[in-house]
Amino acid sequence: MTLRCGVRCLAAPGLLSMLCGVAWADGRADLNAALARLQGQSALKAQVESKTWRKEGEGKDAQEDSGQASVAVEGGASGLQVLYGKDLLAKVEAEQRAKVKDPKTKTPTGFALGEMTATELRSMVSAAGALSREIEEAEFSGEKIDSYKGKPARMLSFTLALDKVPEKDRKYVKKFEGGIDVWIAADGTPLASAFRLDLSGRAFVVVSFTQKIDETRQYGVSGDHLLLLRKESKSTSSGMGERVESRIVKTLQL
């Protein structure tokens, strides 16, 4: 138990809580307990939508792509099922036919669907596993009293190590900063989280590169499911004279 107190307490133990406020439990323990009980075994149906945008290059030579698509998902003890609607499949087919005639034709629906892999959809309807793995790979760096959407919350901070970068690429990295912040309710239930990654380096002496990722997530609970209600990812990268920017927003509705 960690006592968070704004004044020095010299009173007897029986008066401690009255003079110094509430004693808070270990936030990591509360978070892990909440993730353990929100494993998403009960049946659940939801709609997941993906909106994507990507820009490659700069100035008049820049190429932009964007798209939007939604699928129905069912999750539970038996696994994950994805339903691609008739209208959605018709759009994908029309885009593919148009691309056969003109290879330069954009495929916005297919572009958005490319961001809805089984792993991504699973993390939307059952987010506990993905969040648990993330914090296991990071180092706990602190806890503080905070707020989320105007309500009391605790914010847990974790620091990412260079291990996040594939081993074969680590020798090229000169700067690396990364972390995860998780806002939790009084019982440890995740309310939101923020992921950040900022790295730069140089390969083969003359090739420099940078990458920056910022991701915000908003959670909710339905039964024993921790839901990822909204996930917004922004990234920029540059290297070998090229620059790429992207923004992906995924939302879930029951």
Side-chain angles (χ1 to χ4, degrees):
M1 299 284 282
T2 301
L3 184 66
R4 302 194 177 276
C5 177
V7 296
R8 187 178 180 184
C9 292
L10 300 176
L15 299 177
L16 209 56
S17 61
M18 182 168 58
L19 294 177
C20 296
V22 179
W24 288 80
D26 180 0
R28 283 183 296 171
D30 291 344
L31 173 58
N32 287 330
L35 294 176
R37 70 172 179 265
L38 295 172
Q39 289 297 304
Q41 297 301 304
S42 61
L44 179 141
K45 295 182 180 181
Q47 195 82 11
V48 177
E49 181 182 65
S50 172
K51 294 181 179 180
T52 59
W53 173 84
R54 176 184 168 94
K55 178 181 177 182
E56 187 170 349
E58 297 181 272
K60 63 179 181 180
D61 296 326
Q63 296 184 350
E64 291 191 36
D65 289 289
S66 62
Q68 178 177 342
S70 62
V71 297
V73 295
E74 296 184 14
S78 61
L80 180 73
Q81 293 183 333
V82 184
L83 176 63
Y84 300 93
K86 182 178 179 180
D87 292 343
L88 177 69
L89 294 176
K91 287 181 180 180
V92 172
E93 176 66 18
E95 289 176 1
Q96 292 301 316
R97 287 183 176 275
K99 195 169 184 64
V100 170
K101 296 179 180 179
D102 182 1
K104 294 183 179 181
T105 298
K106 296 184 181 298
T107 57
T109 307
F111 180 57
L113 279 177
E115 293 296 334
M116 291 201 284
T117 64
T119 300
E120 280 288 303
L121 293 173
R122 173 65 177 171
S123 72
M124 297 290 289
V125 299
S126 187
L131 181 56
S132 179
R133 288 192 299 274
E134 275 193 343
I135 62 177
E136 284 178 4
E137 295 174 353
E139 180 180 351
F140 179 70
S141 56
E143 173 183 353
K144 69 176 184 179
I145 298 174
D146 203 353
S147 64
Y148 178 71
K149 291 191 172 182
K151 295 183 178 181
R154 285 175 285 169
M155 186 180 80
L156 310 181
S157 297
F158 300 83
T159 302
L160 297 175
L162 188 58
D163 294 348
K164 196 71 176 176
V165 177
E167 185 175 0
K168 64 183 178 63
D169 299 326
R170 292 174 197 164
K171 61 184 177 182
Y172 303 120
V173 177
K174 304 302 181 184
K175 171 192 171 185
F176 180 91
E177 295 178 0
I180 307 168
D181 294 326
V182 184
W183 287 263
I184 63 174
D187 64 351
T189 301
L191 303 172
S193 66
F195 173 94
R196 60 192 178 279
L197 182 67
D198 189 355
L199 65 86
S200 60
R202 185 178 296 274
F204 309 114
V205 183
V206 296
V207 181
S208 60
F209 61 88
T210 64
Q211 183 177 24
K212 185 175 182 179
I213 301 173
D214 288 292
E215 189 170 283
T216 58
R217 306 160 189 161
Q218 178 183 341
Y219 301 101
V221 173
S222 177
D224 64 349
H225 287 261
L226 179 66
L227 305 175
L228 185 47
L229 299 177
R230 189 178 191 277
K231 175 181 177 181
E232 180 175 356
S233 306
K234 296 179 181 178
S235 70
T236 59
S237 62
S238 62
M240 300 185 68
E242 296 292 334
R243 178 180 173 84
V244 178
E245 300 175 66
S246 69
R247 179 174 181 263
I248 304 167
V249 179
K250 298 186 180 75
T251 55
L252 178 146
Q253 289 187 332
L254 295 177

